[in-house]
Amino acid sequence: MPSPDDLKADLVISALILPRLELRKFQRGFSLLPGLILSIVLAIAAISLGKAHLLQTHGISALTLAIVLGMLIGNTFYPAIASDADAGVIFAKQRLLRLGIILYGFRLAFQDIARVGIVGVAIDVLVLGSTFGLAWLLGVKVFKLDRTTALLIGAGSSICGAAAVMATEPVVRGRADQVTVAVSTVVVFGTLAIFIYPALYQLNQTWHFLSAGPTVFGVYVGSTVHEVAQVVAAARSISEETANTAVIAKMVRVMMLAPFLVILSAWLARSRQRNTLAQTDQADAKAANRGVVIPWFALIFVLVAGFNSLALLPASVVATVTDIDTFLLTMAMAALGLTTHLSAIRRAGIKPLLLGALLFFWLIVGGALINLCVQAALR
């Protein structure tokens, strides 16, 4: 049993330490404000600009505008205030991004899978797997890019553009410049898709490579175009029915983000372990394996999508949550732009763009072949 003197000493120590801990927490929270405020201002500007009809017509989303604005400020005025703003900017880029990915689940429902059927799911799986595998093969083996940049470009091209790049970054542990190079690459070719796919539809009406109906072409658009906004812009140029099917096929592809991240994390962990085993002893290998990144936010994202599938919340509440989610993701993209230096992008050179171009070509041609073969085999 502790003596009364010991208890008094403990109380005195607690009285001295606890206020200091609370003060440190308050100071840390206060240090986040400058960077968070800057990210909020840029997010508001990007969302406001994104409502312009011209930008919406061309599929330029608020996320794309946010990173552009962030880079403009980040390479001009930001260095002067970086010491004060960095803490909040990094918080937005990391923590708010994960929250944004989780809330993204409110845009999805498992019923979407039933709407496109086994054909749509099989097409999405094959497009995702082949595109990402090609990104790794070409990026690392042919273009000799660093593995992280190649994986990020592959994730953005094969799943859902900038959002997929941002979600993959914690798993591959990418730097800000690597993430920005990947985002820029998928944005360029995703924007080109908006103009190319309506022309492809007209060619298909003549050559009948795919079935001539708008539903079949909608699955093709949704399974191969990068961003959700770009899918909508490209498919609406064809018909409303094509747009509806394309968005459903795209959302099924987005649902694959979570299992993709889990599989990627496990693969990277095994790769690190093999490399360590080749260089050191087994004890060091086990230590390396303990550094596995578990994408918990991706797992919660699936749970949120499952909850949303139950339709327990009113539509107005879901709409509010998705608006909040858009704002959080836009803040994260703005923060990414603020911490990206143009010199780092210039150092990356032409190779990432060439990789993105080849993946874009594969999505158009290889994606059409996958759509054709799966539809022939399963219908």
Side-chain angles (χ1 to χ4, degrees):
M1 292 288 292
S3 67
D5 290 337
D6 291 336
L7 291 174
K8 288 179 182 178
D10 289 342
L11 289 173
V12 170
I13 291 171
S14 298
L16 292 172
I17 291 176
L18 288 177
R20 292 182 182 178
L21 292 175
E22 292 300 322
L23 178 61
R24 285 178 184 173
K25 289 180 181 179
F26 176 78
Q27 288 174 336
R28 183 177 181 278
F30 186 78
S31 69
L32 298 178
L33 282 179
L36 287 176
I37 291 172
L38 179 57
S39 299
I40 288 171
V41 169
L42 291 176
I44 292 173
I47 291 172
S48 299
L49 287 171
K51 293 177 181 177
H53 178 70
L54 179 64
L55 295 178
Q56 288 185 339
T57 302
H58 291 84
I60 306 298
S61 67
L63 299 184
T64 302
L65 293 169
I67 194 170
V68 171
L69 291 175
M71 289 176 67
L72 287 174
I73 301 299
N75 287 274
T76 52
F77 308 108
Y78 183 71
I81 61 169
S83 58
D84 296 321
D86 265 350
V89 168
I90 292 171
F91 183 86
K93 187 175 69 174
Q94 295 177 351
R95 302 294 181 86
L96 294 186
L97 167 67
R98 289 163 175 76
L99 179 57
I101 296 297
I102 289 169
L103 295 181
Y104 203 91
F106 279 101
R107 303 169 190 264
L108 309 172
F110 291 160
Q111 290 87 336
D112 293 337
I113 298 175
R115 291 177 189 170
V116 298
I118 188 65
V119 172
V121 174
I123 289 170
D124 280 340
V125 169
L126 291 172
V127 169
L128 192 162
S130 62
T131 306
F132 187 76
L134 195 62
W136 179 83
L137 180 65
L138 293 175
V140 176
K141 302 296 184 181
V142 177
F143 292 119
K144 306 300 181 183
L145 288 169
D146 64 273
R147 187 174 70 172
T148 298
T149 299
L151 295 181
L152 289 171
I153 293 173
S157 299
S158 61
I159 306 175
C160 55
V165 174
M166 297 289 285
T168 306
E169 177 269 328
V171 176
V172 300
R173 301 170 182 174
R175 302 189 308 270
D177 57 287
Q178 293 170 322
V179 175
T180 303
V181 166
V183 169
S184 304
T185 300
V186 297
V187 166
V188 166
F189 293 105
T191 303
L192 283 177
I194 297 169
F195 305 99
I196 290 175
Y197 276 72
L200 291 176
Y201 178 75
Q202 297 303 323
L203 287 175
N204 188 62
Q205 293 295 93
T206 303
W207 295 99
H208 301 292
F209 185 76
L210 297 172
S211 297
T215 300
V216 171
F217 202 84
V219 173
Y220 171 54
V221 174
S223 63
T224 55
V225 175
H226 298 67
E227 299 261 5
V228 176
Q230 293 157 356
V231 167
V232 173
R236 275 188 181 164
S237 300
I238 298 168
S239 73
E240 195 66 32
E241 186 180 355
T242 302
N244 292 338
T245 308
V247 169
I248 293 170
K250 181 63 181 178
M251 287 307 181
V252 171
R253 195 167 148 211
V254 172
M255 281 185 186
M256 296 173 184
L257 177 63
F260 164 81
L261 292 177
V262 173
I263 293 169
L264 179 62
S265 179
W267 176 70
L268 290 175
R270 291 192 64 180
S271 177
R272 285 194 296 270
Q273 187 179 22
R274 283 196 301 270
N275 291 339
T276 307
L277 271 171
Q279 299 169 9
T280 61
D281 59 23
Q282 191 150 353
D284 290 335
K286 288 180 180 178
N289 198 40
R290 284 197 292 270
V292 175
V293 176
I294 303 297
W296 54 267
F297 61 91
L299 302 178
I300 301 175
F301 158 81
V302 173
L303 294 177
V304 170
F307 174 76
N308 190 51
S309 302
L310 301 175
L312 298 176
L313 297 178
S316 58
V317 173
V318 174
T320 301
V321 172
T322 55
D323 286 342
I324 293 171
D325 176 54
T326 298
F327 193 79
L328 292 174
L329 290 175
T330 308
M331 281 183 65
M333 293 296 279
L336 172 64
L338 287 169
T339 54
T340 300
H341 302 291
L342 290 176
S343 57
I345 297 177
R346 284 195 297 270
R347 285 196 300 270
I350 192 67
K351 291 181 179 180
L353 202 61
L354 291 175
L355 175 59
L358 288 174
L359 294 179
F360 182 52
F361 178 79
W362 168 252
L363 285 167
I364 292 174
V365 178
L369 288 170
I370 290 172
N371 272 260
L372 180 65
C373 293
V374 172
Q375 287 164 4
L378 298 181
R379 285 196 184 278

